[in-house]
Amino acid sequence: MVTNKSVVPIMSMVRTFEHMYGVVFLMERENGQFIYRYISSEAKELASLDENFVGKTLKDVYPDYISAHLGNLYDQAWRTRNPVVVQDKLNMKLVEEIAKLVIIPVIQEKGELRYFISYTERIISPQESIVDIVTGLPSYQVFVHKLKEKLQRIQNPVVVCYIKLGQASNQGPYPKEFDQSIVISELAKRILHALPEQDVELARVIGDELIWVCPVQQDTIAWLKEVQQTISTPFYVNDCEVTMETSIGVTTPEIGVHSEGHVINEAYHAMLQAKQEKGNSIKVFDLNRQTEMMKAKPSIERELKNAIKNNEFVVYFQPIINTCTGTIHYEALLRWFSSKLGPVPPDAFIIAAEESGFIQEIDAWVIEKVCEHMSKQKEEAIRVSINLSTKTFESKELEKMLLTTCMNFHIDPSLIELELTEHTLLEDEQVLIEKLRSLRRSGFKVAIDDFGMRHASFNYLRLLPVDKIKIDKAFVQNLQCGTKEFHIITSILTLAKKLGVKVTAEGVETKEQALMLLRASCDELQGYLFGKPVPNEVMGKVAKQAKEQWNLLKTEN
């Protein structure tokens, strides 16, 4: 809603653009910041912004690297006093989608420029194209297909690089008749010659942005700096000397773990972060850094509300191996890739979901997706552990919801294990005990996760009707013979065995840790040594890996 009277005369223009394009913003430049003064109703779907963000700046809304990217475009419109038209991948959910962003400076009486009208069109790039007409390279659609094949089949690690070309900062503006396509074509050739000779895919995404995938190099950053030097060598177009700089975003995906869309967007968001630095710059996608950037922004809570509707959540599965039999079951772990924020780490979005009250809807979605996947297993039935939040566990409808979902997908409740962290457990002891007993009577298994991290851990083990405890990875990571962690773990195992409760050790990453736990008669092991969380499409591959690792350990034990 517009409250500033000086904006009112401009609103007729805004309404016209809104009628034509739907996604429209009115921005005001004030003290060097760009502030939302009007947000159209259709912007909620594309950018997840509504009138509650009127009065907020770009920096208030987005992580720094995204607000800087958008701010540079508005700054360009302000400096040149001309419209800015760009094609962009920001906010696009599908790999084949492109956003056409137009920013129009509104020049008022006496030449005053404070306001900008921007609108966005969503474009689907043509599916039938095979070759990019500007560079002669295979089209972006062909690249996406090839990347998908590499992520599914290849065993050797690959690196994906998203590159943004830009005019060198120390070079004056090019003439209006300057042909940018010649520059892009020349630089594409340079990049192609600088890349390894075999097993490389290079394509132009949009405008002056290119992407490639190739085998991981011995020193990727040093190699990329050499590529940048090659690109930065001046050349002439129409008697005009051209010098280019590049921002490169890098990601090294785990084979068989992420989709091609996820990997491309990791590299894209890393490129946006690289753009924040002047000159030639390189940024490697860092999930931990992403966590810190996301925690401080209201954008997470805003995007969460649309994540299920936009099909942005994915359930991953991590193997848990029985040390006696070698049988495998899985823990379901939620992953979120936001088309607007990039990959959002669980540490960031789970907290936001709990604080916003949205966690129950997410938990219900996870339970349904897990049961749906279990129902599609053609071989023997699999068992899956599902984490429950405090809010979900407190719900009086929990058991009914679980049983209904199992019935809808014909899942035996005994194949579902419910994991509760210690802070999830209810304060009322009797209510807690009865709730757990009721869930177990219905057939569900119950486990306490992160066991040992609170002072009441052993008291819970004494009182609560549970099937399993999971030793927190903090104890396993520092596990060595004779250490405090060793004595704590062996004490837990001894007591649990006497009480008839199974024990899973989390965070097992080394063979030495696994052998010590095997010799201490730990019932189950879980950790990167046996397999990382993966999408359901490659569960068979990770199960095979876990079984092979278990066989090796049994041989040495």
Side-chain angles (χ1 to χ4, degrees):
M1 183 178 294
V2 176
T3 55
N4 190 333
K5 291 183 179 180
S6 65
V7 180
V8 174
I10 303 173
M11 285 307 297
S12 59
M13 296 170 57
V14 173
R15 300 292 186 192
T16 300
F17 281 106
E18 187 174 5
H19 178 73
M20 292 188 293
Y21 301 109
V23 181
V24 177
F25 303 101
L26 177 63
M27 307 294 288
E28 180 181 8
R29 189 178 188 275
E30 187 176 281
N31 298 323
Q33 298 290 321
F34 292 96
I35 303 169
Y36 288 95
R37 293 304 181 198
Y38 178 78
I39 299 172
S40 69
S41 57
E42 287 191 32
K44 187 171 184 179
E45 179 186 353
L46 182 67
S48 298
L49 298 178
D50 56 29
E51 63 181 20
N52 293 321
F53 289 88
V54 170
K56 302 285 188 183
T57 68
L58 289 172
K59 287 187 176 181
D60 292 331
V61 172
Y62 290 106
D64 290 345
Y65 69 93
I66 296 180
S67 63
H69 169 65
L70 294 173
N72 287 337
L73 298 176
Y74 281 100
D75 265 330
Q76 183 181 341
W78 178 71
R79 290 194 315 271
T80 63
R81 302 173 73 87
N82 287 314
V84 171
V85 182
V86 295
Q87 289 186 335
D88 207 327
K89 293 290 290 179
L90 188 66
N91 291 346
M92 295 296 100
K93 288 182 276 188
L94 304 175
V95 291
E96 65 267 21
E97 284 185 322
I98 297 169
K100 179 184 177 183
L101 172 63
V102 180
I103 299 174
I104 303 171
V106 181
I107 300 175
Q108 297 175 280
E109 293 181 6
K110 300 180 181 179
E112 182 183 18
L113 174 54
R114 291 174 56 195
Y115 296 103
F116 304 81
I117 299 172
S118 67
Y119 67 86
T120 301
E121 286 186 274
R122 183 183 289 163
I123 302 168
I124 302 294
S125 54
Q127 295 295 307
E128 66 274 7
S129 60
I130 298 175
V131 176
D132 176 63
I133 59 173
V134 173
T135 62
L137 296 169
S139 70
Y140 177 58
Q141 288 73 29
V142 171
F143 171 86
V144 171
H145 177 72
K146 294 287 188 182
L147 177 61
K148 182 177 182 178
E149 289 182 343
K150 288 180 182 293
L151 293 175
Q152 289 177 344
R153 298 176 187 174
I154 196 167
Q155 296 301 314
N156 298 323
V158 297
V159 60
V160 177
C161 300
Y162 198 116
I163 183 169
K164 172 80 172 178
L165 304 170
Q167 181 182 345
S169 54
N170 61 356
Q171 194 170 38
Y174 296 135
K176 287 185 179 180
E177 65 274 10
F178 188 77
D179 192 343
Q180 290 276 9
S181 64
I182 296 176
V183 176
I184 294 168
S185 178
E186 168 64 25
L187 295 179
K189 291 176 184 176
R190 292 188 178 193
I191 294 171
L192 194 59
H193 289 150
L195 295 181
E197 293 183 2
Q198 295 181 332
D199 212 14
V200 173
E201 302 294 339
L202 171 67
R204 185 171 75 108
V205 184
I206 49 175
D208 55 6
E209 297 175 10
L210 294 93
I211 190 169
W212 74 78
V213 57
C214 67
V216 169
Q217 304 302 295
Q218 188 170 4
D219 187 337
T220 299
I221 300 302
W223 165 66
L224 285 174
K225 287 179 179 179
E226 291 178 5
V227 174
Q228 286 182 319
Q229 288 178 353
T230 300
I231 294 171
S232 296
T233 303
F235 61 99
Y236 285 86
V237 176
N238 300 337
D239 297 324
C240 179
E241 184 181 274
V242 177
T243 305
M244 301 297 285
E245 295 173 339
T246 56
S247 304
I248 302 179
V250 184
T251 186
T252 306
E254 296 175 46
I255 302 303
V257 173
H258 295 307
S259 69
E260 64 279 11
H262 186 115
V263 170
I264 290 169
N265 277 284
E266 278 192 353
Y268 171 76
H269 279 264
M271 179 275 290
L272 291 183
Q273 292 169 27
K275 269 187 66 182
Q276 287 187 278
E277 301 179 4
K278 293 182 179 180
N280 287 328
S281 54
I282 301 168
K283 284 291 181 185
V284 179
F285 182 81
D286 183 344
L287 197 61
N288 293 328
R289 184 170 183 264
Q290 194 84 348
T291 299
E292 294 307 311
M293 286 189 292
M294 294 299 171
K295 281 182 178 177
K297 295 296 178 180
S299 45
I300 289 185
E301 186 173 322
R302 183 183 73 242
E303 293 299 324
L304 272 171
K305 296 175 182 178
N306 297 308
I308 292 178
K309 181 183 71 175
N310 293 341
N311 201 30
E312 293 179 345
F313 283 134
V314 180
V315 178
Y316 277 33
F317 296 87
Q318 185 173 27
I320 303 171
I321 194 153
N322 186 296
T323 57
C324 293
T325 64
T327 56
I328 294 170
H329 73 282
Y330 300 87
E331 179 179 358
L333 297 163
L334 186 62
R335 297 292 183 262
W336 178 26
F337 183 83
S338 166
S339 57
K340 302 165 185 63
L341 304 177
V344 185
D347 287 351
F349 76 77
I350 293 297
I351 293 172
E354 288 177 341
E355 291 177 350
S356 65
F358 196 59
I359 192 67
Q360 284 180 265
E361 185 175 344
I362 293 174
D363 280 352
W365 182 88
V366 170
I367 291 165
E368 182 172 354
K369 286 297 176 184
V370 167
C371 289
E372 180 183 355
H373 173 65
M374 292 172 69
S375 70
K376 293 177 180 178
Q377 290 296 302
K378 296 178 181 179
E379 300 174 2
E380 61 180 306
I382 61 169
R383 291 193 300 118
V384 179
S385 299
I386 302 174
N387 295 279
L388 294 183
S389 67
T390 304
K391 294 289 186 184
T392 301
F393 186 56
E394 288 176 346
S395 171
K396 294 180 180 179
E397 300 297 316
L398 171 61
E399 189 171 343
K400 179 181 177 182
M401 181 266 286
L402 284 165
L403 288 171
T404 300
T405 307
C406 286
M407 182 179 66
N408 290 343
F409 290 98
H410 307 288
I411 300 299
D412 185 340
S414 66
L415 296 175
I416 301 288
E417 183 173 88
L418 306 173
E419 290 193 12
L420 312 168
T421 56
E422 290 187 44
H423 76 271
T424 303
L425 301 176
L426 306 176
E427 292 184 6
D428 190 319
E429 194 174 282
Q430 286 306 120
V431 172
L432 172 60
I433 290 171
E434 182 49 43
K435 191 154 198 171
L436 293 177
R437 282 177 177 165
S438 183
L439 286 168
R440 294 180 78 200
R441 282 195 298 267
S442 293
F444 299 102
K445 299 290 188 290
V446 177
I448 300 178
D449 198 8
D450 301 336
F451 186 83
M453 296 304 289
R454 293 185 175 235
H455 70 276
S457 296
F458 284 97
N459 192 44
Y460 283 137
L461 189 55
R462 178 180 66 85
L463 290 173
L464 301 183
V466 298
D467 302 279
K468 182 196 293 184
I469 57 174
K470 299 186 74 174
I471 298 175
D472 189 81
K473 61 185 179 182
F475 296 104
V476 177
Q477 286 171 348
N478 298 310
L479 181 60
Q480 291 181 14
C481 188
T483 61
K484 289 181 180 179
E485 288 79 9
F486 175 80
H487 293 304
I488 290 171
I489 288 176
T490 53
S491 297
I492 292 172
L493 289 168
T494 300
L495 181 57
K497 193 171 291 293
K498 289 180 179 178
L499 297 175
V501 176
K502 290 188 178 298
V503 179
T504 302
E506 296 184 287
V508 181
E509 296 184 358
T510 68
K511 183 178 68 174
E512 291 72 25
Q513 292 168 349
L515 285 171
M516 289 183 69
L517 291 162
L518 270 174
R519 290 160 186 165
S521 300
C522 186
D523 300 292
E524 295 178 341
L525 303 180
Q526 177 181 1
Y528 284 5
L529 180 65
F530 301 97
K532 295 183 178 182
V534 296
N536 64 67
E537 294 86 356
V538 290
M539 283 174 68
K541 183 185 295 185
V542 80
K544 182 180 178 183
Q545 173 190 332
K547 198 67 177 281
E548 289 173 352
Q549 188 63 56
W550 176 76
N551 286 329
L552 289 172
L553 290 169
K554 279 293 187 180
T555 303
E556 294 191 33
N557 188 23

